[in-house]
Amino acid sequence: MAPIHIDETSGSDTTGKGTPDQPYQTLGVALFNHGASESFLTRKDSTAAYEEPTQSSLKKAKKTAEGIEKKRKKQEELAERDAKEKGEERERKEKLLEESKKIVLEEDATLPKATKAKITHLAELRSKRIRVCGWVHRLRQQKDIIFVVLRDGTGYLQTVLSGKVASTYEALTLNLESSIEVVGMLQAVPEGKTAPGGHELIVDYWKVLGSAPGADDAFTNRLNEKSDPSIQADLRHLVLRGETASSVLRLRAYLMAAFREAMTFHSIMEVTPPCLVQTQVEGGATLFKLDYYGQNAFLTQSSQLYLETCLPSLGDVFCVQESFRAENSHTRRHLSEYTHMEAELAFITFDDLMDNIENIICKTVDILLTNPTSAALIKQLNPKFEPPARPFLRLSYVDAIKWLNEHGIQLPAEDAEGNAIKDERGQIKMVDHKVGDDIAEAAERQMTDIIGTPVFLHGFPAELKAFYMKKIPGGDGKMSFTESCDLLMPNVGEIVGGSMRIADMAELLAAYKREGIDPEPYYWFTDQRKYGTCEHGGYGLGVERFLAWLADRYTVRECSLYPRWPGRATP
Ligand code: 4AD
């Protein structure tokens, strides 16, 4: 029989086989693997010759081999015991499960009648018997007690199931996101313990209304914090069940109500303009076109033109309406469909317009901070939130260009065709801003973040703005500027765009012509200048952008129920 080789330097006890090519490293392991009847050859390293081991090293190795054998046996025993215990546990569970099927829960008719309530209204029902329906938000079993945190959209409630109610088949097979009905006494949580609302429900009767799967199809297997963004987008309907997403949407609801309250406070009346339109407002490039009974129509970009027509009948008006922009923008502040809060005010000056924007925003924030529920949501989502200091800074476009240059914020140089110019190293050449340049999103964001407070940027060049904007009277004749403003907020950038509108008929007709717009479909808009024109202006606020600022969200996508962006219209 071939001897077993051991090389104490290059051998290996894990991959070695005992051959001259694959020697072991230690005699002990070689002995353990092959038994004492084999012959062995050992060497210190490859420079030495193989020799038979000495008696004393054989003796030492034998001890090592015995030690290894002992350890192996112990592990084997442990594994056996473990398997047995697991088997017993499985059997116990199966038996329990089988027995649980026999347990039938029935509501005890002798107990006080339970009041059905939403979780948000439970404070006044302490120490009473109540009935609540909701979804299993969290589930924890501690010995024979099951703790369920129930969610009903209005809040969270800790419920405690013990004894018979925790032993039914439904209790033992309950999964997250099942919908259930629970009945029991509402009690303050014991001293030193915490729970949402400071109380917990001691359940005496409950039932599953709609079960949710466990195992592979369990909710947490379909979606968790680590899920890829595209999966999260596909599963937005499930993401919404999460605490943060639902808090953002809840705050959004309070925000919409606060806007409406602020508008009403300022005597501005709500109207609902159409989404299907045949006129553009903010340029043809971002219109979604559709076939409308054989005619061309668009999804509205802004309800502004319709609001203007309401001034002579309803006075100052506002709307909360979806606007649609076919922009191929994948930035964190662009959506293809967004909620647009627009207002239009008659007989005002440009300063009145900016005052109104500031008033509405500050009033809205005040309302939200006064209401304890919305104030708590803001605190939860954006703990550092402070209402903005007034008055908001007003910076003219021309001064903003100067500011950018003084702060070294540049833009890519372009040739006459609008292509970026590169330097010798192939890097895009950056140049200072000049009057007439559009202030790009990145520059605007840098500026707002450095200034750190809301900023009204006003007086943009007419060439950069929409056809309807009123020009600033006078000027040097070289370039005309408009009575327009953008309100920029730290972290988000532009949240409001507004302007004074052309009130003069001839000026409006000239503007259509300059922009190559056919005046025919705008007859109703033009008529406003014919029948008693007035100086007027208005603005549009992006609700998702405002919410991103308020709730400190990274992207407007988190601030929309089902956000749409290029390529995404599902779910
Ligand atoms: O600056 P914009 O395009 O102005 C108008 O549409 C005017 N007609 C409004 C008016 O005067 N009645 O858009 C106004 C606001 C922006 O400041 C921004 O908050 C939001 O609408 N907005 C968008 N929000 C999300 N995604 C987009 N693609 C947006 N485009 C504009």
Side-chain angles (χ1 to χ4, degrees):
M1 246 186 302
I4 306 296
H5 291 73
I6 294 109
D7 182 322
E8 289 171 15
T9 309
S10 66
S12 165
D13 287 344
T14 43
T15 58
K17 298 217 159 53
T19 59
D21 292 352
Q22 287 175 285
Y24 287 108
Q25 192 179 24
T26 63
L27 184 57
V29 170
L31 205 61
F32 172 75
N33 284 350
H34 298 272
S37 55
E38 297 286 343
S39 63
F40 299 93
L41 289 174
T42 69
R43 67 178 183 189
K44 281 259 175 282
D45 53 44
S46 58
T47 60
Y50 275 113
E51 285 174 1
E52 278 186 20
T54 61
Q55 277 309 310
S56 77
S57 59
L58 262 176
K59 207 164 149 192
K60 220 165 113 195
K62 212 169 144 196
K63 268 219 170 104
T64 309
E66 280 165 8
I68 300 172
E69 173 60 14
K70 231 187 194 161
K71 213 164 146 190
R72 188 194 63 77
K73 265 213 175 119
K74 196 158 179 197
Q75 269 168 356
E76 203 176 82
E77 274 167 28
L78 273 178
E80 257 170 45
R81 200 162 69 204
D82 205 37
K84 197 168 155 223
E85 274 173 9
K86 277 206 178 118
E88 281 169 2
E89 176 65 13
R90 204 171 37 241
E91 243 172 65
R92 193 184 70 85
K93 277 202 174 139
E94 272 165 20
K95 208 166 137 206
L96 212 65
L97 216 54
E98 215 38 56
E99 276 170 15
S100 72
K101 288 180 185 165
K102 292 180 212 142
I103 303 173
V104 182
L105 264 195
E106 265 175 70
E107 197 171 344
D108 186 344
T110 64
L111 289 174
K113 192 173 162 8
T115 309
K116 190 170 175 188
K118 294 278 184 198
I119 293 171
T120 186
H121 294 132
L122 293 184
E124 56 264 37
L125 291 170
R126 279 263 182 99
S127 310
K128 301 240 161 58
R129 201 163 167 264
I130 58 155
R131 182 184 308 273
V132 183
C133 296
W135 289 263
V136 177
H137 187 65
R138 265 186 243 127
L139 181 63
R140 180 166 59 92
Q141 178 135 26
Q142 210 175 53
K143 293 199 181 110
D144 296 329
I145 304 178
I146 300 172
F147 292 93
V148 172
V149 173
L150 197 68
R151 181 189 75 234
D152 75 347
T154 74
Y156 301 93
L157 171 68
Q158 173 153 302
T159 65
V160 186
L161 283 69
S162 63
K164 191 177 171 189
V165 288
S167 340
T168 61
Y169 184 74
E170 287 183 327
L172 300 183
T173 57
L174 186 63
N175 289 316
L176 282 179
E177 293 304 325
S178 302
S179 53
I180 61 175
E181 177 180 332
V182 287
V183 187
M185 280 296 272
L186 186 67
Q187 289 187 353
V189 281
E191 194 95 21
K193 295 258 162 72
T194 55
H199 39 230
E200 59 187 9
L201 186 70
I202 310 303
V203 178
D204 59 55
Y205 172 75
W206 74 286
K207 65 179 175 196
V208 170
L209 302 173
S211 65
D216 287 352
D217 217 12
F219 190 85
T220 42
N221 280 337
R222 284 194 72 192
L223 182 76
N224 54 56
E225 294 98 63
K226 291 192 200 105
S227 300
D228 191 76
S230 76
I231 292 179
Q232 299 215 22
D234 285 343
L235 299 183
R236 177 77 180 154
H237 60 297
L238 301 183
V239 170
L240 295 179
R241 297 184 181 208
E243 278 166 41
T244 304
S246 58
S247 293
V248 172
L249 290 180
R250 201 165 292 133
L251 180 57
R252 186 183 155 115
Y254 283 96
L255 172 62
M256 307 295 270
F259 269 139
R260 288 187 157 106
E261 193 182 327
M263 288 291 180
T264 307
F265 179 82
H266 284 278
S267 307
I268 307 175
M269 181 154 287
E270 181 164 6
V271 292
T272 308
C275 274
L276 288 167
V277 299
Q278 294 190 303
T279 45
Q280 54 132 311
V281 190
E282 298 298 326
T286 62
L287 281 174
F288 277 108
K289 293 189 182 62
L290 56 104
D291 175 72
Y292 189 75
Y293 303 106
Q295 290 182 24
N296 271 341
F298 317 109
L299 291 175
T300 186
Q301 294 173 308
S302 157
S303 298
Q304 176 196 322
L305 307 192
Y306 291 95
L307 292 187
E308 289 186 48
T309 67
C310 298
L311 296 177
S313 65
L314 299 170
D316 298 344
V317 283
F318 80 97
C319 69
V320 181
Q321 179 63 284
E322 296 295 277
S323 277
F324 302 84
R325 302 284 168 102
E327 294 174 88
N328 201 13
S329 295
H330 292 257
T331 78
R332 58 190 167 107
R333 67 181 205 183
H334 282 96
L335 293 166
S336 304
E337 172 180 352
Y338 70 96
T339 306
H340 207 170
M341 222 243 6
E342 294 179 274
E344 200 66 31
L345 313 166
F347 307 112
I348 54 162
T349 64
F350 186 37
D351 275 334
D352 293 338
L353 177 71
M354 287 191 276
D355 287 347
N356 184 269
I357 298 172
E358 185 175 323
N359 284 336
I360 292 291
I361 285 179
C362 294
K363 179 83 186 162
T364 302
V365 170
D366 275 355
I367 295 168
L368 289 170
L369 291 178
T370 306
N371 178 326
T373 312
S374 47
L377 286 167
I378 295 173
K379 187 129 197 81
Q380 173 201 337
L381 295 162
N382 186 3
K384 293 202 191 111
F385 181 80
E386 292 276 349
R390 300 184 68 173
F392 294 174
L393 180 69
R394 296 183 184 186
L395 185 66
S396 80
Y397 163 85
V398 174
D399 286 343
I401 295 288
K402 262 192 231 150
W403 188 99
L404 289 171
N405 291 340
E406 279 163 15
H407 288 78
I409 299 171
Q410 296 185 305
L411 80 169
E414 285 182 354
D415 62 18
E417 271 92 55
N419 301 314
I421 299 173
K422 293 189 176 164
D423 64 15
E424 317 78 58
R425 284 174 296 139
Q427 305 272 28
I428 291 178
K429 206 173 142 196
M430 300 298 283
V431 290
D432 274 357
H433 284 81
K434 58 181 189 314
V435 172
D437 285 337
D438 201 0
I439 300 175
E441 184 174 334
E444 183 189 283
R445 194 185 280 275
Q446 270 175 287
M447 184 170 82
T448 359
D449 289 350
I450 293 173
I451 295 175
T453 59
V455 187
F456 271 120
L457 213 57
H458 61 84
F460 292 92
E463 295 92 279
L464 298 179
K465 289 290 178 181
F467 75 95
Y468 54 75
M469 287 190 186
K470 189 181 169 195
K471 294 210 178 88
I472 297 175
D476 60 8
K478 284 185 219 137
M479 186 177 286
S480 49
F481 295 90
T482 53
E483 287 191 328
S484 56
C485 62
D486 284 354
L487 178 63
L488 313 180
M489 290 302 207
N491 290 325
V492 184
E494 181 198 328
I495 64 161
V496 179
S499 76
M500 294 300 288
R501 326 300 193 189
I502 295 174
D504 179 71
M505 170 82 96
E507 211 183 308
L508 180 64
L509 295 177
Y512 289 140
K513 201 161 175 193
R514 190 188 69 228
E515 298 292 323
I517 295 171
D518 174 10
E520 205 279 319
Y522 293 81
Y523 69 93
W524 49 276
F525 180 66
T526 315
D527 265 354
Q528 301 309 309
R529 280 78 188 160
K530 189 169 170 185
Y531 297 97
T533 193
C534 68
E535 289 299 331
H536 66 288
Y539 55 91
L541 176 149
V543 170
E544 292 78 7
R545 288 193 189 176
F546 189 90
L547 188 55
W549 167 72
L550 184 70
D552 192 25
R553 294 300 95 193
Y554 177 73
T555 156
V556 289
R557 294 177 185 184
E558 284 180 74
C559 300
S560 166
L561 183 63
Y562 283 102
R564 269 76 179 100
W565 62 85
R568 164 72 56 184
T570 307

